[in-house]
Amino acid sequence: MSDLDELYQEVILDHTKNPRNYGKLEATIHQAEGNNPLCGDRVAISLKIDNGLINEIYFEGKGCAISTASASMMTEFLKGKKLEDFHLTFERFHNLVTGKVNSSDQFVEIGKLIAFRGVADFPVRVKCATLAWHTLKAAIEKQEQPVTTE
Ligand code: ZN
């Protein structure tokens, strides 16, 4: 394992042990639940959007290390960002964990989320890594049905 991979693992472990933005917003129209039956991951996302900005964002859930770290790092990365940044980042993140390369990806800044690139070597983990993102999309779109990866 390279030093870089170890560093990435440390970032992910840190977020698994100390999840950021853990909790729930009571008074918001933007919330959704998601689950990944394949692994048993569950996540609930709630957020507040003001003038196209993600002003507050929280998650709650139970799941494997990858799903928890992904939700935690997603909320940390997107808090204070524009909705359009969410859509760009989600696409870039999805390409990253599925091992796809898009020529436009290089222009999308994803910061520490690059730590998830190792997921591309474990296709069964892709759903763990993307569950929070699909659930956030549902929350933004005020979708009532729970999200499921199956
Ligand atoms: Zn999982």
Side-chain angles (χ1 to χ4, degrees):
M1 191 186 286
S2 73
D3 290 351
L4 198 60
D5 286 336
E6 277 179 34
L7 182 74
Y8 287 164
Q9 283 216 330
E10 256 173 55
V11 172
I12 289 174
L13 264 178
D14 174 43
H15 277 264
T16 305
K17 285 186 197 151
N18 310 295
R20 320 296 201 272
N21 304 306
Y22 195 90
K24 192 176 185 218
L25 282 172
E26 293 299 338
T28 179
I29 50 168
H30 292 289
Q31 49 189 321
E33 289 173 20
N35 72 89
N36 171 19
L38 206 66
C39 179
D41 309 316
R42 305 185 71 87
V43 69
I45 305 277
S46 55
L47 73 156
K48 262 190 187 151
I49 301 171
D50 296 302
N51 297 319
L53 282 182
I54 299 172
N55 267 348
E56 291 185 76
I57 177 165
Y58 290 91
F59 86 98
E60 275 181 336
K62 269 201 167 100
C64 66
I66 294 285
S67 74
T68 303
S70 172
S72 173
M73 289 172 71
M74 178 190 78
T75 60
E76 187 178 68
F77 186 81
L78 291 175
K79 194 174 174 185
K81 291 217 164 55
K82 293 181 207 152
L83 271 186
E84 62 197 66
D85 289 329
F86 160 71
H87 294 291
L88 284 171
T89 313
F90 186 11
E91 199 186 341
R92 171 79 171 87
F93 184 79
H94 203 272
N95 287 340
L96 181 80
V97 297
T98 53
K100 277 187 217 141
V101 180
N102 226 329
S103 55
S104 59
D105 282 350
Q106 56 183 309
F107 303 111
V108 181
E109 180 55 52
I110 60 166
K112 281 193 267 178
L113 295 170
I114 195 79
F116 288 92
R117 70 173 192 176
V119 171
D121 296 329
F122 304 94
V124 73
R125 290 286 174 198
V126 169
K127 286 174 178 174
C128 304
T130 56
L131 176 65
W133 292 81
H134 287 290
T135 307
L136 172 56
K137 186 167 184 281
I140 289 170
E141 292 168 356
K142 294 188 255 178
Q143 189 182 306
E144 308 242 328
Q145 289 291 320
V147 175
T148 175
T149 55
E150 290 302 295

